Amino acid sequence: MSSTNLLDNIIAQLKLSKKETSKQQKILETAIAMFAEKGYANTSTSEIAKAAGVAEGTIFRHYGTKENLLLSVILPFLKESVPVFAREVIDEFSPQNFSSFEDFLRALIRNRMSFIRENREIFQIVIKEFLYHEELRRELIPLFKNNVLSFINKNLDLYKQRGDIADIPNGTLMKMLFTFIGSYFSVRFILTDEEDSLNDEGEIEDLIRFIMKGVGNE
Amino acid sequence: MSSTNLLDNIIAQLKLSKKETSKQQKILETAIAMFAEKGYANTSTSEIAKAAGVAEGTIFRHYGTKENLLLSVILPFLKESVPVFAREVIDEFSPQNFSSFEDFLRALIRNRMSFIRENREIFQIVIKEFLYHEELRRELIPLFKNNVLSFINKNLDLYKQRGDIADIPNGTLMKMLFTFIGSYFSVRFILTDEEDSLNDEGEIEDLIRFIMKGVGNE
Amino acid sequence: MSSTNLLDNIIAQLKLSKKETSKQQKILETAIAMFAEKGYANTSTSEIAKAAGVAEGTIFRHYGTKENLLLSVILPFLKESVPVFAREVIDEFSPQNFSSFEDFLRALIRNRMSFIRENREIFQIVIKEFLYHEELRRELIPLFKNNVLSFINKNLDLYKQRGDIADIPNGTLMKMLFTFIGSYFSVRFILTDEEDSLNDEGEIEDLIRFIMKGVGNE
Amino acid sequence: MSSTNLLDNIIAQLKLSKKETSKQQKILETAIAMFAEKGYANTSTSEIAKAAGVAEGTIFRHYGTKENLLLSVILPFLKESVPVFAREVIDEFSPQNFSSFEDFLRALIRNRMSFIRENREIFQIVIKEFLYHEELRRELIPLFKNNVLSFINKNLDLYKQRGDIADIPNGTLMKMLFTFIGSYFSVRFILTDEEDSLNDEGEIEDLIRFIMKGVGNE
DNA sequence: GATGAATGAGGCTTCATTCAT
DNA sequence: AATGAATGAAGCCTCATTCAT
């Protein structure tokens, strides 16, 4: 991961990937599976090529560098998960659609959970590389803040007015909410074996209960 | 990270490190700083040697392999943080010392926070490598469960009897507590720049408030 | 030289080497010359690469490990010298083709001598590494016994019936014959300078005379 | 093995090794065992030091270089086996002591065999390194020729006069004799497992019979 | 004399990347 | 577009040797 501007790479990348051949598809699928399983640094391009059934040169013909292959894996996911997430939240999750903050929370968590479940491998990659690469963090955190947080920020005020949530500063609220929900997803989809998590619905309710009321006795 | 038993490595390792040269100290310090900054996989032994001002061979004379160097960095931390943590919790944090679960929680978080602050870099390494190496997880999670959780488990019952915490199954309670506290520390010490976190005391109170009461309006 | 089954390596190896680049050829030729001259352990891959005019990486692209390069040198030779030797002996050297055991011996020695002369360097490598690597011996000796000795064993009986050779147990006979012929070849092709051995024909006759009649006065 | 004159090294070496401490003895014993088992090139000085229970520096204090340690192992053996062999042959094996060449041969083989059996490991080292190092050959072969062969040469004439051995040129005779006896010892003491060779006496008689009469039917 | 920490050259190997076909 | 042989920098590690204690 070089220090060049990530957003420039995003733009350049998106221009390149207009049309995808079947070989490109196969390369991407294989790269996703292997990066998720062994991590970016521990996966070699020759392994990917062999597993994808293409020549090593073909990878470089399409993606130029290994880093760019990683971006080609991550960026569509982020494109989907950040701005579309933002729009979805705005469109579907506006307060008038929900009778309570708890309902909003439930819908939000279920929505994101099913999205991540379908993209579990890429989610693993993003989280892992996010920890490893400071520049990635430097780029993505503002992107996230600008797109999502401002909207949530506004809505929190509405729920506060309704009396659904306590009078805690929005900054603190959001930090708590995202830390906890984000880490819940991370534990759920990275550290937990699939067979250990049969009762997602029950867990989501536990999670919501915790977020709403904490552990204390009212 | 081989598939050999980690605990055996721990024992072997601790026996080896009877006395430490000043060069050994320097190697360890440098390795900690670099592993924390760039990650284990992205740090080469020659970089460490150069930064530590020793010959590369010196690293291998003392630690044998790069992996063993990583273990030599991590294990003393884990030795301190897991069983000593367990003992501390048992000795200092037994329910009779605290007027409420909230006080217990406050003491626990402050105690761990100051320990991690003093070992911030190693904490970063452990978290990062924990994500990357499944075997490390396979070894450490039971170690943690056996040493710490059984004790907490017992105490939770006491606090429930006192009426401090809600009647939620202990398994659920602990999962929530550790996910949230663990991820709070991770965000605090890995993702947050030092200058962004001047108000730890305030944050800890926010955290405790959240854990106890959630975000809902009582 | 690992402890894995050599014959498996043979098979795997032969499957790999379908087509050979000119660079591969050059690497093999150079490796043969250098292993023969200085021994396997004293020849570095970087030396081979430099002498062959290729990058060091090229060696590993084709042969994977240094040990596998050694096998790639040795195995085709063994394939030629052991089973083909066996077939040749069976086809061309069956008793009915020879008026006497002495004639048989003369043909056999000349045949093997010209084969080894053409593969002198590889023969040197095999003998040297044979001494150094017990597993190589463990694999090759049975291979040789099964392919060659059983045939010779049978023929010895025929020559005994004809009265060509003395009534010595076949086991003893073969041990003597192979020790002496093998060591003659070893001395001739490893210890002797080329210029010291201008009179091969004469030497072969001396050798045969010795084998047939010993040094005693009849 | 550098290209410096070996005989000079011998002399220098012998001057050094006047008095041997117990540590030196232990180092030599260990080096002999390990060189014989794994070969000179595959044995590291640190292994020797560890197995001998001394510090690695101690080896270099006494022997200067690893090569010199090898010479210190080999040379006393050669000193014993070459000139003493020569003297012994001259003193004990002069023709008047034996009724026949066959008896002489039997005594010679038994004598050398028991010497090598007692020094089996060093013999292995000498043979192996002899194959690997041309300079060693260049030095030792003349040494042997000058000390031993001239005497044997003379005696062969006597046995020929007695009619014990056939009228073959001495050069040819000696080449055959030494090739065969030497290789018999090599096979016997390097390639053969100890348990496979219980019947030395019988084997020696086979060997003598072969040398005297060959395999032919008289 | 003995030690063992330290060295640094060199060994084998991996890998992202290039390029002729 | 696709291939895969070739590259060479860099990685981890070994080892004979030196030297301060």
Side-chain angles (χ1 to χ4, degrees):
Chain A
M1 198 69 52
S2 77
S3 63
T4 64
N5 186 279
L6 184 68
L7 293 182
D8 291 350
N9 278 336
I10 294 182
I11 293 158
Q13 176 55 25
L14 298 183
K15 278 180 186 157
L16 276 176
S17 63
K18 279 173 189 166
K19 47 188 182 228
E20 284 188 359
T21 66
S22 67
K23 297 244 175 196
Q24 278 191 62
Q25 269 301 337
K26 199 79 185 68
I27 291 169
L28 274 187
E29 286 167 19
T30 310
I32 288 169
M34 301 188 82
F35 286 163
E37 190 194 337
K38 313 197 305 171
Y40 172 77
N42 298 314
T43 306
S44 72
T45 50
S46 82
E47 281 177 297
I48 296 170
K50 195 179 297 173
V54 303
E56 207 171 348
T58 307
I59 292 178
F60 287 90
R61 164 159 274 285
H62 287 299
Y63 301 98
T65 66
K66 188 188 173 192
E67 183 187 337
N68 203 35
L69 175 60
L70 175 63
L71 291 178
S72 301
V73 162
I74 287 180
L75 292 180
F77 176 83
L78 293 181
K79 271 197 313 168
E80 164 78 352
S81 70
V82 177
V84 173
F85 176 45
R87 176 144 313 138
E88 249 178 37
V89 170
I90 292 169
D91 293 350
E92 302 183 25
F93 297 117
S94 61
Q96 62 261 28
N97 295 340
F98 298 97
S99 60
S100 66
F101 181 71
E102 191 177 319
D103 284 351
F104 163 77
L105 205 56
R106 183 173 289 111
L108 183 68
I109 289 172
R110 283 184 179 157
N111 172 285
R112 284 303 88 188
M113 194 140 178
S114 89
F115 173 69
I116 292 174
R117 201 191 337 263
E118 283 162 18
N119 297 278
R120 180 178 179 147
E121 289 180 321
I122 298 180
F123 178 72
Q124 288 185 20
I125 298 169
V126 171
I127 296 296
K128 286 177 182 174
E129 300 312 318
F130 196 74
L131 281 183
Y132 260 106
H133 300 289
E134 204 203 331
E135 349 70 71
L136 200 60
R137 292 202 293 275
R138 265 204 315 272
E139 301 279 353
L140 291 181
I141 290 176
L143 186 71
F144 185 76
K145 282 187 175 165
N146 295 335
N147 279 283
V148 181
L149 292 199
S150 61
F151 166 77
I152 305 248
N153 206 19
K154 208 162 45 185
N155 284 8
L156 286 178
D157 290 336
L158 289 174
Y159 287 112
K160 275 190 202 165
Q161 285 168 20
R162 286 195 195 170
D164 281 354
I165 53 180
D167 188 26
I168 304 169
N170 283 357
T172 307
L173 267 177
M174 286 195 290
K175 185 166 186 175
M176 295 293 160
L177 285 171
F178 281 100
T179 296
F180 194 51
I181 296 174
S183 62
Y184 177 79
F185 285 153
S186 299
V187 170
R188 168 67 185 78
F189 288 108
I190 296 182
L191 302 185
T192 310
D193 289 336
E194 201 51 58
E195 56 266 28
D196 288 357
S197 55
L198 299 171
N199 186 17
D200 270 347
E201 278 307 308
E203 291 224 329
I204 289 177
E205 290 309 312
D206 288 342
L207 176 59
I208 289 169
R209 194 221 169 279
F210 180 76
I211 292 174
M212 295 306 296
K213 300 190 182 171
V215 301
N217 218 352
E218 74 275 18
Chain B
M1 200 70 49
S2 77
S3 63
T4 62
N5 185 281
L6 183 69
L7 295 182
D8 291 350
N9 278 338
I10 294 184
I11 293 160
Q13 177 55 25
L14 297 182
K15 278 182 185 156
L16 278 177
S17 61
K18 282 171 190 167
K19 49 200 169 198
E20 283 189 357
T21 325
S22 66
K23 299 248 174 190
Q24 271 192 70
Q25 270 300 341
K26 198 79 185 65
I27 290 168
L28 271 188
E29 287 167 17
T30 310
I32 288 169
M34 300 188 83
F35 286 163
E37 188 194 339
K38 313 197 305 171
Y40 173 75
N42 299 313
T43 306
S44 74
T45 51
S46 81
E47 282 177 297
I48 297 170
K50 199 176 294 172
V54 301
E56 200 171 353
T58 306
I59 293 177
F60 290 93
R61 161 163 249 288
H62 289 297
Y63 300 99
T65 65
K66 188 188 171 192
E67 183 187 334
N68 203 38
L69 175 60
L70 175 63
L71 290 179
S72 301
V73 162
I74 287 180
L75 293 180
F77 176 83
L78 292 180
K79 264 204 321 165
E80 164 76 353
S81 71
V82 177
V84 173
F85 176 44
R87 175 144 312 142
E88 249 177 37
V89 170
I90 292 168
D91 291 350
E92 302 183 23
F93 297 118
S94 61
Q96 63 259 27
N97 296 340
F98 297 98
S99 58
S100 67
F101 181 71
E102 191 177 321
D103 283 354
F104 163 77
L105 205 57
R106 182 174 288 110
L108 183 68
I109 290 173
R110 281 185 180 156
N111 172 287
R112 283 304 87 189
M113 193 139 178
S114 88
F115 173 68
I116 293 174
R117 199 193 336 266
E118 282 164 19
N119 297 278
R120 178 178 180 146
E121 289 180 319
I122 298 178
F123 180 72
Q124 289 185 20
I125 298 169
V126 171
I127 296 297
K128 286 177 182 174
E129 300 312 317
F130 196 75
L131 281 183
Y132 259 105
H133 299 288
E134 204 203 330
E135 348 73 66
L136 201 59
R137 293 202 292 275
R138 264 204 315 273
E139 301 277 354
L140 291 182
I141 290 176
L143 186 71
F144 185 77
K145 283 188 175 166
N146 295 335
N147 278 283
V148 180
L149 291 199
S150 62
F151 168 76
I152 305 249
N153 205 22
K154 209 164 44 186
N155 285 8
L156 286 179
D157 290 335
L158 288 174
Y159 287 113
K160 274 188 202 167
Q161 284 171 20
R162 286 195 195 171
D164 282 355
I165 54 182
D167 189 26
I168 303 169
N170 282 359
T172 307
L173 267 177
M174 286 196 288
K175 187 167 183 174
M176 295 292 160
L177 284 171
F178 280 101
T179 297
F180 194 51
I181 296 175
S183 62
Y184 176 79
F185 285 152
S186 299
V187 170
R188 168 66 186 78
F189 288 109
I190 297 182
L191 303 185
T192 310
D193 290 335
E194 200 52 57
E195 55 267 27
D196 289 356
S197 55
L198 298 171
N199 186 16
D200 270 347
E201 278 307 309
E203 292 222 329
I204 290 177
E205 290 310 313
D206 289 341
L207 176 60
I208 289 168
R209 195 222 168 276
F210 180 75
I211 292 174
M212 295 306 296
K213 300 190 181 171
V215 300
N217 216 353
E218 70 274 23
Chain C
M1 199 70 51
S2 77
S3 63
T4 63
N5 186 281
L6 184 69
L7 295 181
D8 292 350
N9 278 338
I10 294 183
I11 292 159
Q13 178 54 26
L14 297 182
K15 277 182 185 156
L16 279 177
S17 61
K18 281 172 190 166
K19 48 198 170 204
E20 284 189 359
T21 324
S22 67
K23 298 248 175 191
Q24 271 192 69
Q25 269 300 340
K26 198 78 184 66
I27 290 168
L28 271 188
E29 286 167 18
T30 310
I32 289 169
M34 300 188 83
F35 287 163
E37 188 194 338
K38 313 197 304 170
Y40 173 75
N42 299 313
T43 307
S44 74
T45 51
S46 80
E47 283 177 296
I48 296 170
K50 199 176 296 173
V54 301
E56 201 172 351
T58 306
I59 293 177
F60 289 91
R61 162 163 248 287
H62 289 297
Y63 301 98
T65 64
K66 188 189 172 192
E67 183 186 335
N68 202 38
L69 175 60
L70 175 64
L71 290 178
S72 301
V73 161
I74 288 180
L75 293 180
F77 176 83
L78 292 181
K79 263 205 321 165
E80 164 78 354
S81 70
V82 177
V84 173
F85 176 43
R87 175 145 312 141
E88 246 177 40
V89 169
I90 292 168
D91 292 351
E92 302 184 24
F93 297 118
S94 62
Q96 65 259 28
N97 295 339
F98 298 97
S99 59
S100 67
F101 181 72
E102 191 177 320
D103 283 353
F104 162 77
L105 205 58
R106 182 173 289 109
L108 183 69
I109 290 173
R110 281 186 179 156
N111 172 287
R112 284 303 88 189
M113 193 139 178
S114 89
F115 173 67
I116 292 174
R117 199 192 339 262
E118 282 163 19
N119 297 278
R120 178 178 180 148
E121 289 181 318
I122 298 179
F123 179 73
Q124 289 185 19
I125 297 169
V126 171
I127 296 296
K128 286 177 181 174
E129 300 312 317
F130 196 76
L131 282 183
Y132 258 104
H133 299 288
E134 203 203 331
E135 349 71 67
L136 201 60
R137 293 202 291 274
R138 265 204 313 272
E139 300 277 353
L140 290 182
I141 290 176
L143 186 72
F144 185 77
K145 282 187 175 167
N146 294 336
N147 279 284
V148 180
L149 290 200
S150 62
F151 167 77
I152 305 248
N153 205 20
K154 208 163 45 186
N155 284 7
L156 287 179
D157 291 335
L158 289 173
Y159 287 112
K160 276 189 200 166
Q161 285 170 20
R162 287 196 193 169
D164 281 355
I165 53 183
D167 189 26
I168 302 170
N170 282 357
T172 307
L173 266 176
M174 285 195 289
K175 187 167 184 176
M176 295 293 159
L177 284 171
F178 281 100
T179 297
F180 193 52
I181 296 175
S183 62
Y184 176 79
F185 285 153
S186 300
V187 170
R188 168 66 184 77
F189 288 109
I190 297 181
L191 302 185
T192 310
D193 291 336
E194 201 53 56
E195 57 266 27
D196 288 356
S197 55
L198 298 172
N199 185 18
D200 271 346
E201 278 307 310
E203 292 223 329
I204 290 176
E205 290 310 313
D206 289 341
L207 176 60
I208 289 168
R209 194 224 167 276
F210 179 75
I211 292 173
M212 295 306 295
K213 301 190 179 171
V215 302
N217 216 352
E218 71 274 21
Chain D
M1 198 71 51
S2 75
S3 63
T4 62
N5 186 281
L6 184 69
L7 293 181
D8 291 350
N9 278 337
I10 294 182
I11 292 159
Q13 177 55 24
L14 297 182
K15 278 180 185 157
L16 277 176
S17 63
K18 279 172 188 167
K19 49 189 177 225
E20 284 188 359
T21 65
S22 67
K23 298 244 175 196
Q24 278 191 62
Q25 268 301 338
K26 198 81 186 67
I27 291 169
L28 274 187
E29 287 168 18
T30 309
I32 288 168
M34 300 188 82
F35 286 163
E37 190 195 337
K38 313 197 306 171
Y40 172 77
N42 298 313
T43 306
S44 71
T45 50
S46 81
E47 282 177 296
I48 296 170
K50 195 179 295 173
V54 302
E56 207 171 347
T58 307
I59 292 177
F60 288 89
R61 164 159 274 287
H62 287 299
Y63 300 98
T65 66
K66 188 189 173 191
E67 183 187 337
N68 203 36
L69 174 61
L70 175 63
L71 291 178
S72 301
V73 162
I74 288 180
L75 293 179
F77 176 83
L78 293 180
K79 272 198 312 170
E80 163 78 353
S81 71
V82 176
V84 174
F85 176 46
R87 176 144 313 137
E88 249 178 38
V89 170
I90 292 168
D91 293 351
E92 302 183 25
F93 297 119
S94 60
Q96 63 260 28
N97 295 339
F98 297 97
S99 60
S100 67
F101 181 72
E102 190 177 320
D103 284 352
F104 162 77
L105 205 57
R106 182 172 289 110
L108 183 68
I109 290 173
R110 283 183 178 159
N111 172 286
R112 284 304 88 190
M113 194 142 179
S114 88
F115 174 68
I116 293 174
R117 202 194 332 265
E118 282 162 19
N119 298 276
R120 180 177 180 148
E121 290 181 319
I122 298 180
F123 179 71
Q124 288 185 19
I125 298 169
V126 171
I127 296 296
K128 286 178 181 173
E129 300 313 317
F130 195 75
L131 281 182
Y132 261 105
H133 300 288
E134 205 203 331
E135 349 72 70
L136 200 60
R137 292 202 292 276
R138 264 206 313 273
E139 301 279 352
L140 290 181
I141 291 177
L143 186 71
F144 185 77
K145 282 188 176 167
N146 295 335
N147 279 284
V148 180
L149 291 199
S150 61
F151 167 76
I152 305 248
N153 206 19
K154 208 163 45 186
N155 283 8
L156 287 178
D157 291 336
L158 288 175
Y159 287 112
K160 276 189 200 166
Q161 285 169 20
R162 286 195 194 170
D164 282 353
I165 54 182
D167 189 25
I168 304 168
N170 282 358
T172 307
L173 266 177
M174 285 196 288
K175 185 166 186 178
M176 295 293 158
L177 284 171
F178 281 101
T179 296
F180 195 51
I181 296 174
S183 62
Y184 176 78
F185 285 153
S186 300
V187 170
R188 168 67 185 79
F189 287 109
I190 297 182
L191 303 184
T192 309
D193 291 335
E194 200 52 56
E195 56 265 29
D196 288 357
S197 54
L198 298 171
N199 186 17
D200 270 347
E201 278 307 309
E203 293 223 328
I204 290 177
E205 290 309 312
D206 289 341
L207 176 60
I208 289 169
R209 195 223 168 276
F210 181 75
I211 292 174
M212 295 306 296
K213 300 190 180 173
V215 301
N217 218 353
E218 75 274 17

